[in-house]
Amino acid sequence: MIAVLFGPPGSGKGTQAAFITRDFDLPHVSTGDMLRAEAATGSPLGLEVAPLMAAGKLVPDELIVRVIAERLRRGDVRKGAVLDGFPRTVAQAQALDTMLKREARDVGLILSLDVPVDDLVERLLGRAREQGRSDDTADVIRERMVEYEKKTAPVLDHYRRCGARVAAIDGVGSVEDVRRRVHEEVAGALGAARRPEPTRRVADGS
Ligand code: AMP
């Protein structure tokens, strides 16, 4: 199953994705981590994205779609994956839908982490102090929130319109509380995905 962890910066996507990976053995695919790794090695891709990331801007759709397409071709995601930080625009979601459709797959679950904006800013500033992430200064955080509202929030409507399984998760509380809520939803979706199709009765066509 392909699950998408969705939510604003600071909502706990990375933390909860790591739990899903541990609990359900689904590879964690974080586009933010992949881009940070590229930036750290100074590859051409890394050099291109580093200034955008440092400014809290999204990187261009075609670029990130290329990165994720390559990642989804690797064998470990055959059994599924948890996507963290992708898709972040409706164009990315459409590109993902097309990619998956070619292999008769789709996004099986979207987990949307809901956290009030004041809590988000506090969490991000705390993370900046602890981890020294250069995209977590007050100005950059504001820019990331603007990008989220403008470009990323509509992705949820895209999936709702498509009839995908969207679970809104209360992202406030302890990490363990949120983990339990997420766990329940993933287990439910996996149960539904693995349940065999009901057998059709030929005689009455039901
Ligand atoms: P994250 O760790 O997911 O918050 O991502 C950190 C930064 O990487 C973002 O602020 C963007 O600059 C860039 N990034 C990660 N994923 C994407 C994406 N799907 N589309 C555009 N930019 C992205």
Side-chain angles (χ1 to χ4, degrees), residues 13 30-33 35-36 52-53 56-59 64 84-88 92 127 133 135 144:
K13 297 188 297 292
S30 158
T31 44
D33 285 352
L35 294 180
R36 275 186 289 279
L52 293 167
M53 294 174 77
K57 296 275 185 199
L58 295 185
V59 310
I64 198 76
D84 159 15
F86 184 93
R88 255 179 160 104
Q92 291 179 19
R127 185 167 77 183
R133 261 180 63 167
D135 57 350
R144 297 181 76 204

Side-chain angles (χ1 to χ4, degrees), residues 66-126:
R66 239 187 301 128
V67 168
I68 203 89
E70 202 174 298
R71 180 66 187 86
L72 292 183
R73 273 198 290 273
R74 303 231 302 259
D76 61 326
V77 297
R78 282 271 115 237
K79 60 183 170 197
V82 50
L83 305 187
D84 159 15
F86 184 93
R88 255 179 160 104
T89 65
V90 172
Q92 291 179 19
Q94 288 166 338
L96 177 65
D97 294 345
T98 307
M99 247 180 262
L100 294 176
K101 209 168 173 188
R102 257 184 242 132
E103 301 173 2
R105 308 173 86 185
D106 60 8
V107 173
L109 175 66
I110 296 98
L111 295 150
S112 173
L113 292 172
D114 293 338
V115 179
V117 73
D118 288 351
D119 295 26
L120 294 173
V121 173
E122 200 176 303
R123 286 186 193 182
L124 289 168
L125 289 172

